[in-house]
Amino acid sequence: MTASPALPLPPGSTLGILGGGQLGRMLAQAASRLGFDVVILDPEENSPAGRVAARQIVGAYDDRWALKRLAEACHVVTYEFENVPADTVAELTALGCEVAPGAAALAAAQDRVVEKTFLAEIGVPTVAFAPVDDEESLLAAVARIGAPSLLKTRREGYDGKGQAWIQRPADAVAAFEKIGRQPAILEAPADFGRELSVIAARGRNGEIVCYPLSDNHHEGGVLRRTIAPAKAAPAERDQAEAIAAKILTALDYVGVIGVELFELAGGKLLVNEFAPRVHNTGHWTQDGCEVDQFEQHIRAVAGWPLGPTAALARVEMTNLLGPEVDAWKKLAAEPETRIHLYGKGEARPGRKMGHVNRLRPLEG
Amino acid sequence: MTASPALPLPPGSTLGILGGGQLGRMLAQAASRLGFDVVILDPEENSPAGRVAARQIVGAYDDRWALKRLAEACHVVTYEFENVPADTVAELTALGCEVAPGAAALAAAQDRVVEKTFLAEIGVPTVAFAPVDDEESLLAAVARIGAPSLLKTRREGYDGKGQAWIQRPADAVAAFEKIGRQPAILEAPADFGRELSVIAARGRNGEIVCYPLSDNHHEGGVLRRTIAPAKAAPAERDQAEAIAAKILTALDYVGVIGVELFELAGGKLLVNEFAPRVHNTGHWTQDGCEVDQFEQHIRAVAGWPLGPTAALARVEMTNLLGPEVDAWKKLAAEPETRIHLYGKGEARPGRKMGHVNRLRPLEG
């Protein structure tokens, strides 16, 4: 609506969200609690987020007419997924609408080679990696990284998709074949004990806050369960917070970020990847913290001061995948279980339909 | 949609809410967290609740066409205000749509004489009262109740409106004049120390839960501040819970109720009035309890098991009236303050624009 919206955005302002899935839905709910109106842009009519927002614009993310309508309606735009096209951000920016987190964060998060190169440049440790563009660079990468190693497409791909293991050097071309000979990254395996994550936020004024660490359990490449606060030594929490702060500062970031970590023997942390958005491993904050990651993100993009991040309870968050959501009746009867459902119609196998947070008192 | 909806209502079902103000808004937010779709009926377009719901039907509460559309869309209908016309409930019921809480609760809550007569019949103490229909019954009432006493319209009137004090018997006719010679009730003053309230809920299966007591402070007849859990002896909490249980059971009630209490010297409680809905003195539960009054109400009307009601923190809830909402920037910077804004446009003096919950640890 204006080239530089007056910040902090007053209640009554309108926030745009690119993406109408569950993250957009929970962001919209948080924004409305703070008195904001929300407009969702999503190609699918009647999206989960659209049904809790003031309005949904139905359109593709590169639909210039839809973007024009969004920019006219909104003071600031954010998003629920990291694959927002760079052109979309450029278009919205040209229309005078600010997008947060910004283009630098998206560029780094959308390409695994750019991401790991960026992390290396700012001194954040990752596994060893090498870019793969063709068979020649593939063989050079395998020679350098060794095997077993993991070949991933540079772009897209999540929840274990677009990946192939190279068990022996001789498997390299078959693995490249399997991921469709797309531009890729070859990564050394991390010899990790646990997968942790840190959900952090950076405000417009550069202030940074971090939630306690999450201890994450995946099955078949999909997050199944998070326990938070994770048991971790203070030095390990400091390490994670320093990593998050480096990333956020280097990207001049505004909003919540989810940083996935590998914990090596001895407590050293490597960054697996980061997502420039609210994160599934931060859903525990909805019932475990005074200000959850969704409100925190809205506060940041709206230029409000950030809120407290201390844990009030120990939470076990479990995703409800596909038909698991049919257990709602049993879950509703558990006194320690808080239910969050996304309003999705069809419970296809593996689809994230909701999650539950089971609460226990914090141990002393 | 059907004469007897299958209960418990599964996620994905649609709930109707009569009234699009802040209570409807917070009910809609709670319903959407549990995976329900919400349709709001409100005469005012673009209402606070309509902007966080899947849909709003714009129409009067007695508009038969609007009610038909609501009944077609919804499995169960609830409401945010106690002055729902009896004909509206009858019409929705005739259309095969269940309304909860039911007609008995509304009838009792809409007429102060019916309400107090009902309470007396079930053995719940109130101040002495007498009905006033004309000057003759007015003088008889004053002769019985004495003065000072408080003359209130039987219907409507809230936040101190529709009331006049009779300081001396000679003032009686002037007071009757002041409230427009409407059918009225004359009430003896309660010599109370504190105004407390109990927020309770009754499920479809008759189970009853109560939140800890609220200690309420009014200014100019409008709720200004609630502190909860109120400091109270266990026997006093038992007394309040027994009162709530009697009311809920006698009305075969489904949903959340707010029961306003006067605390006399020695701890005896009188009922001032009850509201068959979520209640301003229960807003503290949003940040002080695992399941707040809004989710509790949705659980009850949807036939779900009720949730826990224990307090996790001591909360001071303060209403933001009219231009007080302009302090949002200062409030947003207070770490102990959770902000809830209603998305209302014009901050007219006295209008409820939002509230804040300030959290402190529970004392041991």
Side-chain angles (χ1 to χ4, degrees):
Chain A
M1 288 183 86
T2 156
S4 37
L7 293 174
L9 272 191
S13 305
T14 302
L15 294 174
I17 300 177
L18 301 170
Q22 67 268 19
L23 300 182
R25 180 176 172 100
M26 293 184 278
L27 285 169
Q29 289 164 331
S32 67
R33 286 198 304 269
L34 297 181
F36 294 108
D37 276 344
V38 174
V39 178
I40 302 293
L41 173 62
D42 191 286
E44 182 205 345
E45 239 177 306
N46 206 26
S47 68
R51 276 177 287 133
V52 303
R55 185 175 152 208
Q56 180 180 336
I57 298 169
V58 179
Y61 300 118
D62 58 358
D63 173 336
R64 294 188 67 170
W65 188 66
L67 293 174
K68 187 161 184 296
R69 288 198 296 153
L70 186 69
E72 281 166 2
C74 296
H75 297 85
V76 169
V77 169
T78 186
Y79 45 84
E80 63 154 12
F81 65 111
E82 59 271 40
N83 290 315
V84 173
D87 284 353
T88 298
V89 177
E91 181 82 19
L92 286 168
T93 307
L95 289 163
C97 194
E98 200 190 343
V99 179
L106 280 170
Q110 287 178 356
D111 183 311
R112 292 190 171 81
V113 172
V114 175
E115 183 182 25
K116 287 211 161 58
T117 305
F118 160 72
L119 292 170
E121 281 170 3
I122 63 170
V124 167
T126 68
V127 293
F129 67 96
V132 171
D133 296 308
D134 47 28
E135 285 199 24
E136 190 186 337
S137 53
L138 172 68
L139 298 180
V142 174
R144 208 174 98 214
I145 306 296
S149 52
L150 186 55
L151 189 65
K152 299 175 177 175
T153 57
R154 284 176 72 148
R155 295 185 158 265
E156 310 280 336
Y158 57 92
D159 289 351
K161 290 164 198 160
Q163 305 194 356
W165 277 97
I166 297 176
Q167 294 296 347
R168 296 162 309 164
D171 298 339
V173 175
F176 196 36
E177 206 65 59
K178 190 179 163 206
I179 64 162
R181 289 183 172 265
Q182 294 179 71
I185 185 171
L186 188 68
E187 297 181 357
D191 185 19
F192 62 91
R194 294 192 297 174
E195 291 182 71
L196 302 173
S197 61
V198 58
I199 307 296
R202 185 167 178 270
R204 296 270 178 185
N205 61 358
E207 72 171 316
I208 289 173
V209 297
C210 294
Y211 288 95
L213 297 182
S214 308
D215 182 347
N216 308 316
H217 302 264
H218 293 77
E219 279 174 22
V222 178
L223 183 68
R224 157 60 54 193
R225 186 170 283 114
T226 290
I227 295 165
K231 289 181 208 289
E236 193 171 1
R237 292 203 298 272
D238 292 348
Q239 197 186 155
E241 293 184 7
I243 286 171
K246 268 189 188 172
I247 296 171
L248 291 171
T249 304
L251 294 171
D252 193 17
Y253 195 94
V254 170
V256 163
I257 194 169
V259 183
E260 298 182 18
L261 303 162
F262 293 137
E263 182 191 57
L264 307 186
K268 181 177 160 64
L269 299 175
L270 302 183
V271 171
N272 175 29
E273 60 178 23
F274 63 84
R277 54 167 167 79
V278 289
H279 199 253
N280 198 166
T281 67
H283 290 1
W284 72 273
T285 60
Q286 291 178 303
D287 298 293
C289 299
E290 283 187 29
V291 169
D292 68 20
Q293 66 166 348
F294 300 100
E295 175 174 337
Q296 199 72 273
H297 186 75
I298 299 299
R299 282 175 166 260
V301 303
W304 288 32
L306 302 182
T309 54
L312 306 173
R314 187 167 301 273
V315 183
E316 181 178 306
M317 189 288 306
T318 305
N319 277 335
L320 301 174
L321 303 176
E324 289 169 6
V325 73
D326 296 340
W328 63 270
K329 209 181 292 186
K330 180 183 152 287
L331 297 167
E334 296 176 5
E336 76 281 15
T337 299
R338 309 278 60 83
I339 298 180
H340 301 266
L341 301 179
Y342 307 151
K344 295 182 180 177
E346 202 193 333
R348 292 191 296 272
R351 192 179 196 200
K352 290 178 178 171
M353 302 298 291
H355 64 274
V356 290
N357 284 328
R358 289 195 176 87
L359 276 70
R360 282 181 298 148
L362 276 179
E363 288 122 353
Chain B
M1 289 182 84
T2 155
S4 36
L7 293 174
L9 274 192
S13 305
T14 302
L15 294 173
I17 301 177
L18 301 170
Q22 69 267 21
L23 300 181
R25 180 176 170 102
M26 293 184 277
L27 285 170
Q29 289 164 330
S32 68
R33 286 198 303 271
L34 298 181
F36 293 108
D37 276 344
V38 174
V39 178
I40 302 293
L41 174 63
D42 192 287
E44 181 205 345
E45 239 176 307
N46 207 24
S47 67
R51 276 176 288 132
V52 302
R55 186 175 151 207
Q56 179 180 337
I57 298 169
V58 179
Y61 300 118
D62 58 358
D63 174 336
R64 295 188 65 170
W65 188 65
L67 293 174
K68 187 160 183 297
R69 287 199 295 154
L70 185 69
E72 281 166 2
C74 295
H75 297 86
V76 169
V77 170
T78 188
Y79 45 84
E80 64 153 13
F81 64 110
E82 59 271 39
N83 289 317
V84 173
D87 285 353
T88 298
V89 176
E91 182 82 19
L92 286 168
T93 307
L95 289 164
C97 195
E98 200 189 341
V99 179
L106 280 170
Q110 287 178 356
D111 182 311
R112 291 188 172 80
V113 172
V114 175
E115 184 183 24
K116 288 212 161 58
T117 305
F118 159 72
L119 292 170
E121 280 170 4
I122 63 170
V124 166
T126 68
V127 293
F129 67 95
V132 171
D133 297 308
D134 47 29
E135 284 198 25
E136 190 186 338
S137 52
L138 172 68
L139 298 180
V142 174
R144 210 174 97 212
I145 307 297
S149 52
L150 186 55
L151 189 67
K152 298 176 177 175
T153 56
R154 285 177 70 149
R155 296 186 157 267
E156 309 281 337
Y158 58 91
D159 289 351
K161 290 165 197 161
Q163 306 193 356
W165 277 96
I166 297 178
Q167 294 295 349
R168 298 161 308 163
D171 299 340
V173 175
F176 195 37
E177 206 64 60
K178 191 178 163 206
I179 65 161
R181 289 184 173 265
Q182 295 180 70
I185 186 171
L186 188 68
E187 296 180 358
D191 184 21
F192 64 91
R194 293 192 296 174
E195 292 181 71
L196 302 174
S197 60
V198 57
I199 307 296
R202 185 166 177 271
R204 296 269 179 186
N205 61 358
E207 74 171 313
I208 289 173
V209 297
C210 295
Y211 288 94
L213 298 181
S214 307
D215 182 349
N216 307 316
H217 302 264
H218 292 78
E219 277 173 25
V222 177
L223 183 69
R224 155 63 52 194
R225 186 170 282 113
T226 290
I227 294 164
K231 289 181 208 288
E236 194 171 2
R237 292 203 299 270
D238 292 348
Q239 198 187 155
E241 294 185 8
I243 287 171
K246 268 189 188 173
I247 297 171
L248 291 172
T249 304
L251 295 171
D252 192 19
Y253 194 94
V254 171
V256 163
I257 195 169
V259 183
E260 297 182 18
L261 303 162
F262 293 137
E263 181 190 59
L264 308 186
K268 181 178 159 66
L269 300 175
L270 302 183
V271 170
N272 176 28
E273 62 178 22
F274 62 84
R277 54 167 168 78
V278 289
H279 199 252
N280 198 165
T281 67
H283 290 1
W284 70 274
T285 61
Q286 292 178 302
D287 298 293
C289 299
E290 284 188 30
V291 169
D292 68 21
Q293 65 167 348
F294 301 99
E295 175 174 336
Q296 199 72 273
H297 186 76
I298 299 299
R299 282 176 164 259
V301 303
W304 287 33
L306 301 182
T309 54
L312 305 173
R314 188 168 302 273
V315 183
E316 181 178 306
M317 189 288 306
T318 304
N319 277 335
L320 301 175
L321 303 175
E324 290 169 4
V325 73
D326 296 340
W328 63 270
K329 209 181 293 187
K330 179 181 153 288
L331 296 167
E334 296 175 5
E336 75 282 15
T337 300
R338 308 279 59 83
I339 299 182
H340 301 266
L341 301 179
Y342 307 152
K344 295 181 180 177
E346 202 194 334
R348 291 192 295 271
R351 192 179 197 201
K352 290 179 179 172
M353 301 299 290
H355 64 274
V356 290
N357 284 328
R358 289 193 175 88
L359 276 71
R360 282 181 298 148
L362 275 179
E363 288 123 350

